[in-house]
Amino acid sequence: MRKLTASEFEQLPIKGKGRSSHVFNSILNLKEGEALLIERKDWARKAGPSTLVRYIERKHQMRFLCGALENGHGWAVKRIEAQKKEAQKEIQKAKSKALITDESEKDALQLKSDLILFYLSRIALNKIERIEDTLKAAVLHFWKADKKLLQEFFYEIINSLQSQGHIIIENDKTYIPLRNSKI
């Protein structure tokens, strides 16, 4: 028994688990960018080596290019650079974050529209409404929603309605203005 250096270990053809063939081990031991020519005499199975290559790709997270030679004398297999797992994880995180952002934006938009309808129905019913009372009623009605977000949306809504002229805010009270319609 002797100690091996890292470069000596890299040069060793390592056999896989079970009854691995010489071709299987050769494909498994390929480094990125290296290629292998499998001749007809080396391959005894009915199916071509592409089935073995796809198996190795699935089980060992490697990527290969595999194809038969034109003259029918064998197959060529080349190991190509696989996407790094970290890059794949980052892509998945970005996709899930975008999905979560889209869902949270949809939820916020739905809450805002529900709050608008709630406020307009209260002001239509009560004619004059104190902002503080409306906000308390909204917090009770939308008890599952975040209170700070609800308050932010509420003030955004009443300021928008005031700037558009749909409501008037005076002395911490809101009301719908009377309009003189001239026909």
Side-chain angles (χ1 to χ4, degrees), residues 42-98:
D42 297 331
W43 191 255
R45 293 173 55 184
K46 184 177 179 181
S50 62
T51 56
L52 178 65
V53 168
R54 300 298 166 240
Y55 172 80
I56 293 172
E57 282 183 332
R58 280 194 319 271
K59 293 295 181 183
H60 297 278
Q61 287 77 39
M62 298 175 164
R63 297 279 301 157
F64 295 96
L65 288 176
C66 180
L69 299 178
E70 279 189 24
N71 58 13
H73 289 23
W75 300 267
V77 178
K78 180 179 180 181
R79 182 166 176 199
I80 57 176
E81 183 178 346
Q83 273 190 332
K84 304 294 182 211
K85 287 184 179 180
E86 296 166 5
Q88 288 176 342
K89 286 180 183 177
E90 287 180 25
I91 291 169
Q92 289 292 350
K93 282 182 184 179
K95 286 181 180 177
S96 64
K97 187 176 182 181

Side-chain angles (χ1 to χ4, degrees), residues 107-122 133-155 157:
D107 292 343
L109 190 59
Q110 182 65 43
L111 176 63
K112 193 181 281 189
S113 63
D114 290 344
L115 186 58
I116 290 170
L117 291 175
F118 177 79
Y119 173 71
L120 291 176
S121 65
R122 276 189 66 91
D133 293 341
T134 307
L135 190 56
K136 285 180 184 178
V139 168
L140 288 174
H141 185 75
F142 300 103
W143 58 274
K144 290 183 181 178
D146 181 28
K147 290 178 183 176
K148 290 193 184 257
L149 184 65
L150 196 64
Q151 184 177 5
E152 179 184 318
F153 284 164
F154 178 72
Y155 284 113
I157 289 166

Side-chain angles (χ1 to χ4, degrees), residues 128-181:
I128 297 175
E129 184 72 16
R130 292 186 62 212
I131 294 174
E132 184 179 314
D133 293 341
T134 307
L135 190 56
K136 285 180 184 178
V139 168
L140 288 174
H141 185 75
F142 300 103
W143 58 274
K144 290 183 181 178
D146 181 28
K147 290 178 183 176
K148 290 193 184 257
L149 184 65
L150 196 64
Q151 184 177 5
E152 179 184 318
F153 284 164
F154 178 72
Y155 284 113
E156 182 182 328
I157 289 166
I158 63 170
N159 289 333
S160 175
L161 288 172
Q162 181 188 22
S163 67
Q164 294 172 12
H166 298 296
I167 64 168
I168 295 177
I169 300 175
E170 286 181 354
N171 299 328
D172 202 30
K173 294 180 183 177
T174 61
Y175 62 91
I176 298 173
L178 298 175
R179 299 202 192 266
N180 292 333
S181 59

Side-chain angles (χ1 to χ4, degrees), residues 13-29:
I14 302 208
K15 184 177 179 182
K17 295 179 180 179
R19 297 180 309 173
S20 300
S21 68
H22 177 66
V23 174
F24 179 87
N25 291 330
S26 298
I27 295 172
L28 195 60
N29 290 325

